[in-house]
Amino acid sequence: MEQSNDEQNIICEIKRTKKNMLRFLLSIGLLFIGLICYGIYWAFFDMNRLPTGELIEQSNSPSLVGHIFFVSNNITPSVNFT
């Protein structure tokens, strides 16, 4: 059975429309997922949402400068502080 040129054009147009609709739905889905991820970041991990308060005490962290040596036969690294 041979299809006419009009039928082939219609089939090609339907395929193109399905492809464009799939792209559109995927982009909307990715945008929605991105907004959900940003909302989770904003709600739980954004440091600007922490309350400001009075500084109670300030201290300096110890200056531990060391060299880490990985031994090929050992799983845990050995640390030498100099």
Side-chain angles (χ1 to χ4, degrees), residues 3 8 22 35 38 43 45 53 56-57 61 68 73 76 79-80:
Q3 294 180 349
Q8 288 177 352
L22 181 64
L35 287 174
Y38 179 74
F45 302 108
I56 298 173
E57 184 178 341
S61 63
I68 298 176
N73 296 338
T76 59
V79 179
N80 182 13

Side-chain angles (χ1 to χ4, degrees), residues 1-12 15:
M1 181 174 167
E2 193 173 309
Q3 294 180 349
S4 68
N5 198 13
D6 289 337
E7 290 176 3
Q8 288 177 352
N9 287 341
I10 291 172
I11 291 172
C12 193
K15 287 181 182 180

Side-chain angles (χ1 to χ4, degrees), residues 1-81:
M1 181 174 167
E2 193 173 309
Q3 294 180 349
S4 68
N5 198 13
D6 289 337
E7 290 176 3
Q8 288 177 352
N9 287 341
I10 291 172
I11 291 172
C12 193
E13 186 68 30
I14 290 172
K15 287 181 182 180
R16 190 178 311 124
T17 304
K18 285 182 182 181
K19 191 180 209 181
N20 287 340
M21 184 60 74
L22 181 64
R23 285 182 184 170
F24 175 75
L25 291 176
L26 282 175
S27 63
I28 293 297
L30 287 174
L31 181 67
F32 183 71
I33 290 171
L35 287 174
I36 294 294
C37 290
Y38 179 74
I40 290 172
Y41 164 77
W42 177 81
F44 297 108
F45 302 108
D46 190 13
M47 298 297 282
N48 291 328
R49 294 189 67 228
L50 293 175
T52 58
E54 180 183 344
L55 180 63
I56 298 173
E57 184 178 341
Q58 183 175 1
S59 64
N60 295 330
S61 63
S63 175
L64 296 176
V65 178
H67 301 285
I68 298 176
F69 299 100
F70 290 99
V71 181
S72 62
N73 296 338
N74 196 353
I75 294 175
T76 59
S78 60
V79 179
N80 182 13
F81 292 103

